[in-house]
Amino acid sequence: MTNFFNKMYTGPISIGTPSQQFDNVVFDTGSADLWVLSTDSNINEDYLSYYKQSESSTYKSITESSWQIAYGTGSASGIAGKDTVVIAGLTAQSQIFAQATNVEKMAINEYEPQDGICGFARQDATTLDGQTIMKNLIDNEENSNGKFAFYLSRHSDSGSKLIIGDDVYNENYYETDQIQTFDINDNIDYEIKGLWSIHFQSIKQNGYHLTSDDDDDETIVTQEDTEDDSSYISAIFDTGTTYIGVPSTEYDSFMKELTKNRPDCSSESSSSQDVYVCQDIINPTANLPTIAFTGINTNGETITMNLDPASYLDDSNELGFMPLPGLNIW
């Protein structure tokens, strides 16, 4: 995979027979559709790759071919069909996917190229009438254990990688004492189902303390308590989102505390509901806090995961947070 400025990661797939290569596909755990740009796309750039169905002997049309999808930012539409897809050395035969003929507000440019998106969310999240690529690989025993993982490098480091199958536990890519497992919890305040969603007990940094019970910062919430909508903090693990999303109702107070010891960090616009950028390029992470996310793992243990400033500050000195208008999820 390729790391673009520590905020977008893309990887290769191929589609068709003979194979057509797409080097810059976003692997997105926040959606479930697979799509690539069509030769009939409204975007026409030499640095992008386009699918040509007439040049694939394994392409199959389908009856209900109209397709469209909307993301938190941007949308795409086009036609759906089936073809052979190869990803991470594994083959998904007769995989449903879409050719995007119209793409809007996806911020595609030469410095952050994007040939398409490959969704890694669960089956309930797809808008296509067929199996997700992961479900296809599992059912056809290409990925018998059903697991996948990402290693995402920092800044200029190389080696970012998508791993599918048995090699997800390759200790070259993680510290064994840092691995935690959490139950997926679909009881979240979001209309799209089938995402990799969990509940947090608290999120804290500097003087900002968001807890699962507003009346008591020390309240411990168990998995059973999460049936009550007021008792938990919803979060989605989404590799396709550039920044960490913060509910817009929390964003101002969250960013105020995050930057209170850094007067050089401010909103990029006149609105406080915007991305913040810092001016100090000599000591970019100085006096920025570590953010503590606390949740309950599958063993019933209360676990705190810490996000350090180097992990949320990108290569352009932007703080990696954005407001989510109208949503009560992180």
Side-chain angles (χ1 to χ4, degrees):
M1 295 175 66
T2 303
N3 176 354
F4 290 94
F5 309 108
N6 211 39
K7 64 181 181 181
M8 186 178 86
Y9 297 79
T10 65
I13 68 170
S14 65
I15 304 177
T17 308
S19 63
Q20 300 177 36
Q21 186 75 13
F22 301 86
D23 289 328
N24 291 303
V25 174
V26 174
F27 297 149
D28 178 22
T29 59
S31 67
D33 292 5
L34 167 60
W35 64 266
V36 293
L37 294 169
S38 164
T39 52
D40 297 323
S41 172
N42 63 320
I43 299 175
N44 182 18
E45 300 290 350
D46 292 340
Y47 55 83
L48 299 174
S49 298
Y50 301 86
Y51 178 76
K52 307 173 183 67
Q53 72 175 56
S54 61
E55 296 183 8
S56 176
S57 63
T58 46
Y59 176 77
K60 300 174 184 177
S61 60
I62 60 176
T63 303
E64 299 294 331
S65 62
S66 180
W67 166 82
Q68 61 181 2
I69 188 170
Y71 298 96
T73 301
S75 63
S77 61
I79 59 172
K82 294 184 177 181
D83 208 336
T84 300
V85 178
V86 177
I87 182 170
L90 305 178
T91 301
Q93 302 284 356
S94 195
Q95 174 62 45
I96 193 165
F97 76 107
Q99 305 173 55
T101 56
N102 189 71
V103 177
E104 300 291 343
K105 298 181 180 179
M106 299 286 279
I108 298 173
N109 58 68
E110 188 171 3
Y111 302 102
E112 296 180 6
Q114 186 175 325
D115 299 328
I117 293 177
C118 182
F120 280 79
R122 293 175 290 152
Q123 187 66 38
D124 286 347
T126 186
T127 70
L128 291 164
D129 187 17
Q131 292 182 326
T132 65
I133 191 166
M134 284 300 297
K135 187 71 165 58
N136 187 329
L137 293 174
I138 292 168
D139 287 354
N140 289 284
E141 299 184 347
E142 287 282 307
N143 179 17
S144 57
N145 69 11
K147 293 182 171 62
F148 67 91
F150 295 96
Y151 171 73
L152 303 179
S153 64
R154 284 188 182 186
H155 305 291
S156 60
D157 294 343
S158 61
S160 296
K161 189 174 183 180
L162 163 66
I163 305 168
I164 299 178
D166 294 335
D167 206 31
V168 297
Y169 295 115
N170 186 331
E171 294 181 11
N172 290 325
Y173 297 105
Y174 67 92
E175 300 292 335
T176 55
D177 60 347
Q178 294 182 357
I179 292 296
Q180 296 293 336
T181 305
F182 296 88
D183 288 324
I184 297 300
N185 200 316
D186 288 319
N187 186 25
I188 61 173
D189 186 19
Y190 197 51
E191 61 183 6
I192 299 175
K193 304 303 179 185
L195 302 177
W196 303 108
S197 50
I198 71 168
H199 292 166
F200 283 128
Q201 286 181 274
S202 67
I203 300 173
K204 298 181 179 182
Q205 49 90 0
N206 279 342
Y208 179 86
H209 292 179
L210 177 66
T211 64
S212 51
D213 188 327
D214 292 335
D215 295 326
D216 184 356
D217 280 357
E218 301 304 319
T219 296
I220 301 300
V221 180
T222 65
Q223 293 289 347
E224 289 76 15
D225 292 328
T226 58
E227 295 304 315
D228 176 7
D229 284 356
S230 65
S231 67
Y232 61 83
I233 302 166
S234 299
I236 296 169
F237 288 94
D238 183 358
T239 58
T241 297
T242 303
Y243 293 140
I244 295 174
V246 180
S248 57
T249 54
E250 295 290 331
Y251 191 73
D252 285 353
S253 57
F254 180 86
M255 295 307 294
K256 180 179 179 180
E257 284 299 318
L258 191 81
T259 61
K260 72 177 184 180
N261 297 318
R262 285 290 299 273
D264 63 301
C265 301
S266 60
S267 172
E268 289 187 321
S269 70
S270 59
S271 170
S272 60
Q273 293 278 310
D274 202 347
V275 173
Y276 279 56
V277 64
C278 300
Q279 303 301 320
D280 186 348
I281 61 174
I282 305 300
N283 299 296
T285 62
N287 298 320
L288 289 172
T290 293
I291 305 170
F293 297 84
T294 300
I296 300 173
N297 67 14
T298 52
N299 294 324
E301 302 165 329
T302 300
I303 299 297
T304 296
M305 298 170 289
N306 294 313
L307 186 70
D308 64 19
S311 297
Y312 63 73
L313 188 74
D314 73 14
D315 286 353
S316 58
N317 255 25
E318 287 185 345
L319 294 170
F321 304 94
M322 61 183 183
L324 299 176
L327 296 178
N328 189 30
I329 56 172
W330 289 72

